[in-house]
Amino acid sequence: MGLSKTIWTNPTEFLRNQQPEDPVLFFAPAVLQATARRFLAGFPGLVTYAVKSNPGEEVVENLVTAGIKGFDCASPFEIDMIRRLAPDAAIHYNNPVRSRAEIEHAVARNVKSWSVDSHSELAKLIEKVPPRDCEISVRFKLPVEGAAYNFGAKFGATREKAVELLKTVAAAGFIPSLTFHPGTQCTDPEAWGKYIRAAGEIARDAGVRIARLNVGGGFPNHRMVAQRPDLDSIFELIDRTTTEAFGADRPALVCEPGRGLCGDAFAVADRVKAVREGEHVFLNDGLYGALFEFGQIGCIDRMEVMDPMGQRRHGAIAPKITFGPTCDSVDRLPGELPFPADIAEGDFVVFQGMGAYSTVTNTRFNGFGDLQRCTVLSLKP
Ligand SMILES: *Cc1c(COP(=O)(O)O)cnc(C)c1O
């Protein structure tokens, strides 16, 4: 105790010295920048960042340093933040439903790229947005088959409607483009393949040559020990399928990863408050905290359990029912977590791959959720 630093070597050094009672979010800028460079080198088009996944200013600043030049924003707040932190960056306003006041706000900030999935919202854009040098991307969806999380439930036009919308966009003098979102944490490259082929058909049926195809987010990060994401295979499939689907009319490509960029640059350390009757683990963090997403897409198993002195626990795996700290009975992590049998009160659990949809959805429910922040050189415990 007593040691005070601004940058720590790794999570273990911090935990051993500080013995935090609240959950801690560890950020490794070097990992974020390396991931951004990997996207910039490998993706065959423009790489933009989906701000909603982690809107931390330190995230945006490190991405700009690494060379990211575009941002996918969903609200006036996000647009203003990007204009302030990255004045020269392209802003894509890809929330297909906006109030008229939100549209005016974005026009005043020189936003030049919009997405749309309905006739009613396209009519608002045609009324409010000057078409000159301005792109409208029609967002379409395909029928869902067994997705972990159904991204098409809220947004996306059917193919037939997308054809109509694309014709209207072109006729109104906007730059016509197409966009889709294949789902989140997609580990199978084919998630993009079928969408790209459908985009080719929609453009052909509309008789419109599209300027750009935005292949969305959905790029995976390393959440599960056994599933190391293979970004290169995904990039390669996107490149090849676009040429096959469009031939001589191949559009420029855009992607908008959130999780894929920021996920692996953060870890969260939670503390074991109790092991009740040797049976139930209670953490100081749960579904109302930084672990919100475990309830949506499942628990991360890429984690280490260490004793208060930072020594790794090596007991045999003995899965445990695990609860968060609030008094709400919904605050239970799904399934059972694969903890070592010797996990004990006061231990730390360090979850890797926690950068996306964690800080943003953390609440102060029941007085918990005071997420402490710490910058580290490396996330390796
Ligand atoms: C949320 C979102 C993204 C990012 O999704 P990830 O799965 O985090 O990559 C990209 N585009 C749009 C339009 C989104 O809403």
Side-chain angles (χ1 to χ4, degrees):
M1 296 285 265
L3 188 55
S4 171
K5 306 169 55 151
T6 47
I7 299 183
W8 296 76
T9 310
N10 55 31
T12 309
E13 186 195 36
F14 178 88
L15 297 170
R16 199 175 48 227
N17 278 285
Q18 302 293 308
Q19 298 293 316
E21 277 298 310
D22 288 319
V24 185
L25 181 75
F26 293 101
F27 173 42
V31 175
L32 182 63
Q33 290 202 28
T35 311
R37 288 196 202 95
R38 192 162 166 216
F39 267 89
L40 290 166
F43 182 76
L46 177 69
V47 181
T48 68
Y49 174 58
V51 176
K52 82 165 187 285
S53 60
N54 186 330
E57 297 201 353
E58 71 285 11
V59 174
V60 173
E61 284 163 355
N62 276 279
L63 290 174
V64 170
T65 302
I68 297 290
K69 295 188 165 51
F71 292 86
D72 161 36
C73 294
S75 63
F77 181 90
E78 290 182 356
I79 290 169
D80 290 352
M81 179 180 73
I82 295 304
R83 276 284 175 262
R84 177 164 54 79
L85 296 176
D88 301 326
I91 292 180
H92 298 168
Y93 193 174
N94 285 346
N95 183 342
V97 177
R98 313 163 186 85
S99 71
R100 283 167 205 273
E102 288 170 337
I103 295 170
E104 285 163 12
H105 187 101
V107 167
R109 277 147 192 86
N110 205 25
V111 168
K112 292 289 192 187
S113 178
W114 311 67
S115 72
V116 79
D117 69 351
S118 63
H119 294 292
S120 62
E121 302 313 292
L122 178 55
K124 276 154 75 173
L125 292 182
I126 289 173
E127 181 193 317
K128 294 254 164 220
V129 182
R132 210 182 129 82
D133 300 329
C134 196
E135 169 184 61
I136 295 182
S137 294
V138 174
R139 177 155 166 188
F140 69 96
K141 66 177 172 190
L142 297 178
V144 199
E145 314 139 10
Y149 185 95
N150 181 6
F151 252 84
K154 187 163 177 186
F155 296 126
T158 60
R159 277 171 199 249
E160 296 71 28
K161 190 188 277 193
V163 169
E164 295 306 314
L165 290 168
L166 197 57
K167 287 182 191 166
T168 311
V169 164
F174 290 92
I175 299 166
S177 291
L178 283 169
T179 185
F180 61 84
H181 196 297
T184 199
Q185 185 68 12
C186 300
T187 46
D188 178 5
E190 211 13 67
W192 284 268
K194 54 182 192 265
Y195 272 94
I196 294 170
R197 285 188 289 277
E201 289 158 15
I202 290 168
R204 221 169 2 261
D205 290 352
V208 171
R209 184 173 180 163
I210 61 168
R212 300 204 290 186
L213 174 62
N214 180 336
V215 299
F219 298 86
N221 77 308
H222 195 185
R223 299 178 86 249
M224 308 305 281
V225 173
Q227 207 170 53
R228 180 175 275 280
D230 181 1
L231 291 177
D232 292 330
S233 295
I234 297 173
F235 296 155
E236 194 274 324
L237 181 135
I238 289 172
D239 194 27
R240 175 166 41 85
T241 314
T242 306
T243 298
E244 286 164 8
F246 289 89
D249 288 341
R250 182 182 156 122
L253 287 168
V254 180
C255 67
E256 47 189 19
R259 179 194 309 284
L261 273 173
C262 69
D264 289 334
F266 291 79
V268 164
D270 293 334
R271 195 149 207 187
V272 177
K273 297 177 63 168
V275 185
R276 188 174 65 183
E277 310 291 31
E279 206 179 346
H280 297 151
V281 171
F282 279 71
L283 297 177
N284 62 354
D285 189 12
L287 295 187
Y288 292 99
L291 308 184
F292 165 79
E293 223 202 12
F294 287 21
Q296 314 285 310
I297 65 170
C299 295
I300 285 178
D301 74 354
R302 204 158 73 87
M303 62 169 155
E304 301 85 31
V305 176
M306 52 184 80
D307 72 14
M309 284 298 101
Q311 295 297 318
R312 190 168 178 162
R313 297 263 184 213
H314 284 294
I317 298 302
K320 292 257 189 311
I321 290 174
T322 303
F323 293 102
T326 71
C327 286
D328 188 328
S329 52
V330 166
D331 195 7
R332 175 193 158 174
L333 302 182
E336 299 187 359
L337 271 80
F339 289 134
D342 48 347
I343 190 170
E345 179 183 341
D347 282 2
F348 295 109
V349 180
V350 181
F351 293 102
Q352 298 288 338
M354 287 292 300
Y357 312 108
S358 53
T359 61
V360 262
T361 43
N362 185 50
T363 77
R364 298 306 310 269
F365 185 31
N366 252 181
F368 298 103
D370 194 3
L371 196 58
Q372 214 181 318
R373 291 169 193 253
C374 174
T375 303
V376 287
L377 295 176
S378 163
L379 289 168
K380 296 203 179 77

